[in-house]
Amino acid sequence: MATIIPAGQFNPASLQASGFYVQIINPPSYIRGVPTDVVGAVGTASWGPVNQAVHCGSGQDGVMAFGPVTAAALTDPYDLPSDINIAFLQASSQASLEGWFVRVTDGTDVAASTALAGAATAVSETATIGGTFASGDTLALTATGSFTGSPVTVTYTTTATDTASSSAVALAALVNGNAALTAANVVALVAGDIISLYTPSGLTVTWTDAVTPATGGPTITLGAGTASTAGATLNAIYTGSGGNSAKVTIAAGTQTNTFSVALVPPFGGTSEIYYNLPAAGFWKALANALANGISPARGPSHIARVAAGTVNNAVGTPTTGTFTLSGGTDGRAGVVTATLIGSDTAQPRTGMYALRNLNPGVGIVWIAGLTDPTAAPSVLAFGTSESCSTLFPFASGTTTAAAVAAVATNGLADPSFNYVKDWVYWFDTANKQQRLSPPTAFIGGTWATYAPQNSPDNKPVNGVLGTERNNPVTGNLPYTLSEIGQLQAAGIAIVTNPINAGTFWGIWGGRSTSADPATQPSEYWRMTTYLARSIAGFGGKYVGQLQSQQPADPLRRKLRTELNNFFNGLGDQIDGFTVLAELSTAANAKPGYGINTPSSIAQHYLYAMCVVRYLSSVWYFIMSLQGGTTVQVQIAQAQPTALAA
């Protein structure tokens, strides 16, 4: 009988029993190029998680994740749905653009909610906690009534740091955690230092209290409460005014003594339906269903959850009907530059830094509407550290002279950093009006749809009605070639009409702020990071493998083969390449840059180098023409073709 063993786990020298051994050898691996159509943007919105990157593959994904463009965008310069809309407008299909987007708020954002009611509880009692607290004091509540296990006493022992409020929370938790009281649907809810003790209608419960020490310590004051019909409060899963259009419908279930609950999402899409929740203990069952789901097919809600501390199982069967959530707020007004940039050290990261370490990684990044020049160094640092290209707009109304001067003053020169200028007029279908927005989403969305070796220069842009210089209301102020030359030299791209390709809206630019002419083409950084990210994804498997000092070392040969296959597979994306992972035994050989020596190998180093020549974008096309009656033109006379016999 044969023994089958995976490659790498077979040691022939260790065999003792005779037999037939089959070793499975894996096929040669290959390097997979990383996606390059990935944009990243940060801004405000009326829905969605906060400081968390959300992947979107289409404009509709953006609507579902952050809500549509709303009237808030007319006064909020940092509106993220506007930029998502514009960016995906540049894509010819869902296969040509994807993105990661981050919502930020000023901290005042509130989730929309609605109170769900049912049959009233019996008249409740209250227990107000007071006095002074020391470690080892006890507070006790005893419930006596017509329920199994009566009487029930719960006791809380205080700590040195306790207060009236914290003791009330702890004592209420013991009431809610008691099996006999839970089975009887007796519920304790807390507001500050007051515990409200609710009993289902038809059940009589009497409460008594005890404290130690009897005097000079904590106190419990029992009082009369009121009946309640509030079974639970439903909160939208995200903050924002977008949640104000979410709905919940409670109806009789298809089974006896059950109710079904349907949640309608704020912006369309499929409703979530939770069938046949039991009438007995409905409110707890609802909270569990929304938090955990009721089956593999109907998982946790992505629309709303029951707010913690609001479940009142003493309330009877729910009131049926449709209820709309309300009260949600966006938290936009106080968003400032620091909010958008965020923190790289917070856990989790916030703002722009939430775009770090994603898969697929972001390739072109901007912050919606941010023109504050003090933010530019942080954006640049992010671009270099995350190996992505960044776009930074000038404020509306910035002239060519002012923009060029600002580039010099700011002193930011890097192949990853690109300035953009002249805000763009476009038609906002949601608000049914013409708007003026920064060109970042137009340029970023367009550039990302092209392969990384391509310059954004001379590429058409969709959805443009005009720009500040090509104003659809006040008329055109065409750029002179001198202005365009100054802008390009400074690393500033513009959207304009015409461009070199023709009389239509497009990008004129294609140069970064790099001061080195060899790295100034905007596509240089994008192509370099594409190659580096692709290679980085495969190289780690060589760590821990064995390398010899032989000229025909199998490990170096395998490495060269994989790299050569990758670069050969790029076809017309590059102009040429050389892969080095060689052994040199020369006395003066120095290890590094693809050269390995016996000494470096003995010290456990492996050196490889890829030298790649990029394709060059055309900046200056010069065609010569000579015409006239005196021009000598040689025309080869066509020879007659012989007829077949």
Side-chain angles (χ1 to χ4, degrees):
M1 180 177 178
T3 300
I4 301 174
I5 305 174
Q9 300 179 17
F10 183 55
N11 180 8
S14 68
L15 297 178
Q16 298 185 35
S18 61
F20 177 29
Y21 297 89
V22 179
Q23 179 181 196
I24 297 176
I25 300 176
N26 294 330
S29 185
Y30 61 92
I31 302 172
R32 185 190 300 273
V34 299
T36 60
D37 62 344
V38 187
V39 299
V42 181
T44 55
S46 297
W47 183 250
V50 177
N51 290 315
Q52 179 180 327
V54 178
H55 183 267
C56 298
S58 67
Q60 183 58 32
D61 281 355
V63 171
M64 299 304 294
F66 299 102
V69 177
T70 66
L74 302 178
T75 55
D76 179 8
Y78 310 125
D79 185 64
L80 183 59
S82 294
D83 276 36
I84 294 175
N85 178 290
I86 292 169
F88 279 105
L89 185 63
Q90 312 309 315
S92 58
S93 74
Q94 291 187 13
S96 58
L97 186 65
E98 58 185 307
W100 292 97
F101 303 97
V102 178
R103 176 193 175 202
V104 298
T105 73
D106 60 10
T108 64
D109 48 312
V110 175
S113 65
T114 186
L116 302 178
T121 66
V123 175
S124 70
E125 290 191 57
T126 61
T128 303
I129 310 301
T132 59
F133 298 84
S135 179
D137 294 344
T138 62
L139 301 95
L141 287 172
T142 299
T144 303
S146 54
F147 60 90
T148 302
S150 173
V152 170
T153 300
V154 296
T155 303
Y156 174 65
T157 302
T158 62
T159 67
T161 59
D162 261 323
T163 62
S165 296
S166 66
S167 298
V169 169
L171 191 57
L174 292 172
V175 172
N176 293 326
N178 182 272
L181 295 176
T182 298
N185 286 326
V186 174
V187 175
L189 299 181
V190 180
D193 56 5
I194 300 175
I195 305 173
S196 293
L197 300 160
Y198 292 101
T199 302
S201 180
L203 177 66
T204 301
V205 174
T206 301
W207 292 90
T208 56
D209 66 278
V211 296
T212 58
T215 59
T219 61
I220 300 177
T221 303
L222 296 177
T226 57
S228 175
T229 59
T233 297
L234 203 64
N235 283 350
I237 196 168
Y238 300 126
T239 61
S241 59
N244 294 339
S245 58
K247 300 180 185 298
V248 56
T249 297
I250 302 176
T254 58
Q255 299 177 9
T256 304
N257 294 324
T258 66
F259 291 87
S260 293
V261 177
L263 274 66
V264 180
F267 315 114
T270 305
S271 297
E272 300 173 347
I273 303 178
Y274 297 84
Y275 289 106
N276 300 321
L277 301 179
F282 170 82
W283 304 105
K284 186 175 182 180
L286 175 63
N288 288 337
L290 298 187
N292 305 309
I294 57 176
S295 71
R298 176 64 273 149
S301 175
H302 296 286
I303 301 171
R305 299 287 171 85
V306 171
T310 66
V311 174
N312 191 346
N313 239 26
V315 170
T317 54
T319 301
T320 58
T322 297
F323 310 93
T324 302
L325 279 64
S326 62
T329 59
D330 297 344
R332 294 174 182 257
V335 169
V336 294
T337 297
T339 317
L340 295 158
I341 295 296
S343 170
D344 203 14
T345 57
Q347 293 297 327
R349 294 183 176 96
T350 62
M352 175 183 67
Y353 298 106
L355 294 171
R356 278 206 191 281
N357 302 327
L358 300 174
N359 185 20
V362 290
I364 301 173
V365 170
W366 68 90
I367 298 177
L370 183 64
T371 61
D372 180 358
T374 65
S378 296
V379 174
L380 166 58
F382 179 84
T384 55
S385 65
E386 201 63 19
S387 298
C388 61
S389 296
T390 52
L391 304 177
F392 199 87
F394 287 104
S396 176
T398 303
T399 65
T400 296
V404 172
V407 172
T409 300
N410 295 343
L412 304 180
D414 191 88
S416 72
F417 191 75
N418 305 262
Y419 283 109
V420 293
K421 193 181 87 69
D422 286 355
W423 286 33
V424 176
Y425 288 97
W426 60 288
F427 188 74
D428 177 351
T429 56
N431 291 301
K432 296 180 173 54
Q433 64 177 269
Q434 184 173 281
R435 285 177 52 196
L436 188 64
S437 295
T440 39
F442 290 93
I443 294 176
T446 298
W447 191 12
T449 64
Y450 288 88
Q453 72 273 14
N454 288 291
S455 168
D457 186 34
N458 211 27
K459 303 300 188 294
V461 173
N462 297 326
V464 179
L465 297 178
T467 69
E468 293 176 289
R469 289 289 292 257
N470 300 84
N471 194 303
V473 177
T474 62
N476 292 343
L477 180 60
Y479 278 99
T480 65
L481 289 179
S482 174
E483 280 185 285
I484 290 175
Q486 293 176 56
L487 292 168
Q488 288 184 314
I492 304 171
I494 58 173
V495 173
T496 190
N497 182 6
I499 57 175
N500 284 308
T503 307
F504 49 82
W505 295 105
I507 302 168
W508 204 321
R511 305 185 201 181
S512 70
T513 57
S514 173
D516 183 348
T519 62
Q520 192 185 29
S522 294
E523 68 272 18
Y524 158 78
W525 182 249
R526 194 158 176 248
M527 187 65 183
T528 300
T529 56
Y530 163 67
L531 296 177
R533 286 178 173 183
S534 299
I535 293 171
F538 99 106
K541 67 184 179 182
Y542 286 93
V543 177
Q545 302 301 309
L546 299 175
Q547 178 187 193
S548 76
Q549 298 182 25
Q550 301 302 316
D553 172 62
L555 188 70
R556 292 194 299 275
R557 182 173 64 247
K558 178 183 178 183
L559 173 61
R560 288 193 298 268
T561 298
E562 291 191 357
L563 288 169
N564 280 316
N565 287 342
F566 170 64
F567 287 113
N568 276 319
L570 293 179
D572 60 2
Q573 287 188 272
I574 59 175
D575 198 30
F577 70 93
T578 299
V579 172
L580 298 174
E582 313 301 325
L583 173 69
S584 177
T585 57
N588 62 346
K590 294 183 178 180
Y593 298 104
I595 301 301
N596 300 274
T597 65
S599 176
S600 67
I601 294 171
Q603 296 175 45
H604 308 283
Y605 287 92
L606 170 59
Y607 291 101
M609 184 174 182
C610 303
V611 181
V612 186
R613 184 173 63 242
Y614 297 167
L615 297 165
S616 177
S617 57
V618 175
W619 289 359
Y620 316 106
F621 177 19
I622 301 171
M623 178 180 288
S624 299
L625 171 67
Q626 184 183 45
T629 59
T630 60
V631 173
Q632 297 298 313
V633 179
Q634 293 182 348
I635 302 176
Q637 185 173 357
Q639 298 298 318
T641 302
L643 297 176

